[in-house]
Amino acid sequence: MSPARPCRGLRAAVAASMGLSEGPAGSARSGRLLRPPSPAPGARLLRLPGSGAVRAANPERGGWTEALRAAVAELRAGAVVAVPTDTLYGLACSASCSEALGAVYRVKGRSETKPLAVCLGRVADVYRYCHVKVPEGLLKDLLPGPVTLVMERSEELNKDLNPFTPLVGIRIPDHAFMQDLAQVFGGPLALTSANLSSQSSSLNVEEFQDLWPHLSLIIDGGPVGDSQSPECRLGSTVVDLSVPGKFGIIRPGCALESTSAILQEYGLLPSHGSCL
């Protein structure tokens, strides 16, 4: 690993200016929840107005903007932030901050040999961070959406992000807050599910409360999907698009059928070893 990029130094000043605390981590909670918990010391919880997935209109726009500004400030300071997406709750950090990337792995107890996806705000951004080998129309038909597209990474990405592979998974969630966040942040965000490694994924903020003491900010966008449906916890469909003319399903996820149909409409063929 190369030396971590400077990101801790700004954190206290930025957090203070945004009214964000940076105290010691609290202890994990246990037992059945009777009411929504409060964030642990050092963390802040902000609830998005409305459903969370749709941009708030006046007079609730203020709450949306507050959450957006707070999240951007923490991410720029090198913090790990919990966020809602179109599939699951996730953990996000700046993909350009090596120290923040290490923190995500520690929070999840995740092996550093397992890659993190990159969240972007626009389809146009994909061309900056990836060597794209599929038609632009295909990208626009799949994104934004519940898919992770794996392509050859460009030199623009931090070398400490998944240094063991020349590929990277790209996400543009079909979630208004996440698109706003990625666009205002102005750079790639590393994104992974908000849960301890190998444990069940989270559809609401209460389900990953054991991680709260290790986070700086939690954005509560309300429930994601149907907690009673196992399919809602499958996460995004992960597709390998690194080989021209072919696609490989790395993880079926929650949108396999619709994703496969779009891929085949563009004449792509399943590669050997694909889940199809």
Side-chain angles (χ1 to χ4, degrees):
M1 298 279 282
S2 62
R5 302 190 179 190
C7 46
R8 177 181 293 176
L10 293 176
R11 178 170 175 179
V14 174
S17 69
M18 297 299 298
L20 302 171
S21 60
E22 192 181 359
S27 59
R29 304 172 184 227
S30 61
R32 183 178 178 185
L33 285 173
L34 299 181
R35 61 178 182 272
S38 299
R44 183 183 182 190
L45 186 146
L46 292 176
R47 292 182 173 88
L48 295 178
S51 66
V54 180
R55 287 182 183 86
N58 290 329
E60 294 183 321
R61 181 70 191 182
W64 184 280
T65 302
E66 179 191 5
L68 187 61
R69 287 176 176 171
V72 169
E74 287 291 341
L75 291 165
R76 288 179 177 169
V80 180
V81 175
V83 292
T85 77
D86 54 348
T87 56
L88 308 166
Y89 270 84
L91 301 179
C93 74
S94 169
S96 300
C97 180
S98 301
E99 182 182 281
L101 295 173
V104 169
Y105 281 103
R106 290 192 297 274
V107 168
K108 282 182 62 76
R110 182 181 179 91
S111 168
E112 291 191 354
T113 62
K114 292 184 177 180
L116 301 174
V118 167
C119 176
L120 302 174
R122 306 177 181 90
V123 171
D125 297 333
V126 178
Y127 291 86
R128 178 177 178 182
Y129 299 106
C130 296
H131 298 296
V132 180
K133 300 177 181 177
V134 296
E136 182 180 9
L138 174 59
L139 291 187
K140 290 183 175 180
D141 282 347
L142 291 174
L143 300 173
V147 295
T148 300
L149 304 183
V150 177
M151 291 175 274
E152 184 181 350
R153 61 190 285 163
S154 78
E155 295 71 24
E156 289 282 328
L157 285 173
N158 180 4
K159 290 184 171 123
D160 286 341
L161 173 74
N162 310 333
F164 44 83
T165 175
L167 306 179
V168 66
I170 297 295
R171 282 276 277 133
I172 303 181
D174 189 12
H175 192 284
F177 182 80
M178 285 305 297
Q179 291 177 37
D180 281 358
L181 179 60
Q183 291 172 23
V184 175
F185 180 72
L189 297 172
L191 184 66
T192 185
S193 57
N195 58 289
L196 288 172
S197 188
S198 78
Q199 292 192 4
S200 179
S201 50
S202 302
L203 299 179
N204 59 66
V205 296
E206 289 83 5
E207 291 183 343
F208 60 91
Q209 62 175 320
D210 288 347
L211 303 186
W212 287 20
H214 310 290
L215 304 174
S216 292
L217 180 65
I218 301 142
I219 302 296
D220 184 357
V224 176
D226 179 4
S227 62
Q228 303 303 314
S229 171
E231 290 185 357
C232 285
R233 296 186 188 272
L234 296 178
S236 63
T237 296
V238 183
V239 184
D240 184 352
L241 294 177
S242 62
V243 179
K246 295 185 180 294
F247 72 91
I249 302 296
I250 297 174
R251 183 177 72 188
C254 64
L256 176 61
E257 186 175 343
S258 59
T259 302
S260 299
I262 292 172
L263 292 166
Q264 292 178 65
E265 282 179 10
Y266 281 85
L268 272 64
L269 299 175
S271 60
H272 178 71
S274 175
C275 292
L276 290 184

